[in-house]
Amino acid sequence: MQRLPYVVVTNPHINDVYELYYTAFDKFRRIKEIKTLEDNERLCKEVSEMLRAHLTVIPKLAMGIHECSDLMPASELDHFMNTVLRSRISRRVIAEQHLALTETFNSHWFSPGAKLSESEFIGEVFIKCIAKEVIDHCAKTVQELARSANGPDTRVPEIKINGHLEASFPYILSHLEYIIGELLRNSVQAVIEKHQHSSAPLPPIEVTVCEAQQHVIIRISDQGGGIPRDALPYLWSFDKGPLKYQRLVNLEQVPLMAATLQELRVNKNLTGPQSERSGHSSSLSSLSMRPPNLRLGMGLPLSRVYAEYWAGSLELHSLEGYGVDAFLQISKLGNKNEQLATRAAMDAV
């Protein structure tokens, strides 16, 4: 951040983010060595407060990027944004994992040395993340969001799941739910808008799961008309070109953002695999909320950052006038062939 041009760093939103990270660093360097459980409790309190304070980072960064789009090339701003977000993921994963492990240790049901079943979590890592269950959960949430945004009588497309339905892998559930949730939201909204004046049944959204030894691929196919040609250059960019002013107005309505599916939920009765485990509160219980129909232009680029951080990938293929195929490749965490070098290189940036 200190390498940015002075005129960019003085942007009030970028400067606020800089001050947040400087303050966090200053607090951490003053914490004494942790030697007792009481010391750890004080550390957890500090970490929790910092995590809450940093919920403003994503919207502030995005607003700063939009306001500085005339001061730096879009490619350099995107590189900066991707680097900061990857760094943010690293820090939040470490912090949330420590908090989750501490909470587990303090739980009445925890038994030191007991063997974990595959249905349990180690901190924030879901040991047996079943792709079909996660997609089912995201699909129900997205359909509910679509009715909330477009009206209760809105026709919503069916979401069909096929392929390797028993595919499972260890993963951080909040990251996976965010990516799949964003992809399904885009597909559902596109189908609704494309066929809103037709009386024919809405074409379903097809989700195919394919499991290989080292990774799982999830393909989401819709018939929502594809991506307009003039939007393609900005698909993976945080700078939305001609739409940046509208996105800036929308971002001003979102002071806090955790980048989880939970903060968009309108029906709190829709619970997923993580919230069903007993004795452990879900890390997805976001303190932030935002309207489900508010478009920020960050879903796809932020989803790709999440996917690539864990050595996966996210690609879109658009057939203009017909629909979109999205391909999400997920590397199995803990696999002996896991691409650790890729993530290590990201963390070193």
Side-chain angles (χ1 to χ4, degrees):
M1 194 172 288
Q2 293 175 331
R3 298 177 183 176
L4 293 173
Y6 178 76
V7 69
V8 175
V9 179
T10 55
N11 175 275
H13 304 298
I14 301 292
N15 186 64
D16 284 349
V17 173
Y18 177 84
E19 291 296 332
L20 275 172
Y21 280 113
Y22 181 84
T23 301
F25 169 75
D26 191 51
K27 284 184 177 180
F28 266 121
R29 73 184 182 90
R30 298 174 188 274
I31 295 176
K32 296 180 180 179
E33 182 181 357
I34 308 301
K35 296 182 178 180
T36 66
L37 292 177
E38 289 73 20
D39 291 341
N40 183 62
E41 288 300 321
R42 285 191 289 271
L43 171 66
C44 289
K45 183 179 179 181
E46 289 279 357
V47 170
S48 296
E49 290 175 356
M50 290 181 196
L51 288 175
R52 285 194 291 270
H54 281 239
L55 286 173
T56 63
V57 166
I58 293 179
K60 281 185 177 294
L61 275 176
M63 286 190 287
I65 290 295
H66 286 310
E67 292 180 356
C68 296
S69 59
D70 297 329
L71 304 175
M72 283 180 68
S75 59
E76 293 183 18
L77 286 172
D78 278 333
H79 176 73
F80 163 74
M81 190 73 167
N82 278 281
T83 302
V84 172
L85 288 175
R86 285 168 180 157
S87 176
R88 180 180 185 272
I89 291 172
S90 295
R91 289 164 174 78
R92 291 192 76 89
V93 165
I94 294 171
E96 291 177 352
Q97 181 73 354
H98 183 79
L99 292 177
L101 290 173
T102 298
E103 186 178 347
T104 299
F105 180 81
N106 292 332
S107 299
H108 67 278
W109 49 264
F110 175 69
S111 176
K115 186 176 180 180
L116 287 173
S117 69
E118 289 186 332
S119 62
E120 294 189 53
F121 287 70
I122 298 179
E124 290 296 299
V125 180
F126 195 5
I127 302 304
K128 191 175 182 180
C129 186
I130 300 175
K132 182 182 182 301
E133 291 183 1
V134 177
I135 296 167
D136 267 333
H137 162 55
C138 291
K140 292 176 183 176
T141 303
V142 166
Q143 289 170 330
E144 187 69 24
L145 286 169
R147 294 186 182 97
S148 173
N150 299 282
D153 298 326
T154 300
R155 293 189 304 156
V156 176
E158 180 185 1
I159 299 175
K160 296 182 177 180
I161 308 172
N162 55 59
H164 298 157
L165 302 183
E166 300 303 318
S168 65
F169 46 89
Y171 214 78
I172 295 183
L173 196 55
S174 60
H175 294 184
L176 184 59
E177 282 188 325
Y178 179 79
I179 300 171
I180 295 176
E182 286 294 333
L183 294 175
L184 287 176
R185 281 183 71 212
N186 290 341
S187 291
V188 166
Q189 193 61 35
V191 171
I192 291 174
E193 293 177 0
K194 170 72 174 177
H195 302 275
Q196 60 183 335
H197 301 302
S198 171
S199 59
L202 294 182
I205 294 169
E206 301 277 353
V207 182
T208 304
V209 181
C210 177
E211 183 177 26
Q213 183 177 0
Q214 299 179 30
H215 57 257
V216 173
I217 296 176
I218 298 174
R219 182 186 67 187
I220 299 176
S221 302
D222 67 60
Q223 297 178 40
I227 300 169
R229 190 177 298 272
D230 58 351
L232 286 174
Y234 308 103
L235 198 61
W236 303 109
S237 175
F238 289 95
D239 174 18
K240 291 304 176 184
L243 294 175
K244 67 181 179 182
Y245 298 108
Q246 182 57 51
R247 296 295 183 256
L248 188 59
V249 171
N250 291 350
L251 281 163
E252 289 173 351
Q253 302 178 50
V254 187
L256 303 177
M257 184 177 175
T260 67
L261 184 65
Q262 193 91 348
E263 65 191 352
L264 281 165
R265 185 161 302 155
V266 293
N267 183 354
K268 294 183 179 179
N269 294 322
L270 287 173
T271 58
Q274 185 161 1
S275 58
E276 290 173 355
R277 55 177 164 160
S278 59
H280 197 300
S281 61
S282 170
S283 69
L284 290 179
S285 299
S286 171
L287 298 175
S288 56
M289 289 294 293
R290 59 189 174 107
N293 58 341
L294 196 65
R295 299 189 179 184
L296 304 179
M298 298 180 61
L300 284 178
L302 191 52
S303 293
R304 176 178 268 187
V305 171
Y306 271 132
E308 291 181 346
Y309 181 79
W310 297 113
S313 64
L314 176 60
E315 299 293 338
L316 259 64
H317 298 280
S318 174
L319 298 175
E320 191 173 6
Y322 184 78
V324 171
D325 281 353
F327 293 87
L328 171 63
Q329 179 175 305
I330 300 166
S331 291
K332 296 182 177 181
L333 302 187
N335 186 291
K336 64 180 180 180
N337 296 313
E338 183 183 348
Q339 303 173 41
L340 292 174
T342 303
R343 191 162 65 256
M346 292 179 182
D347 291 343
V349 174

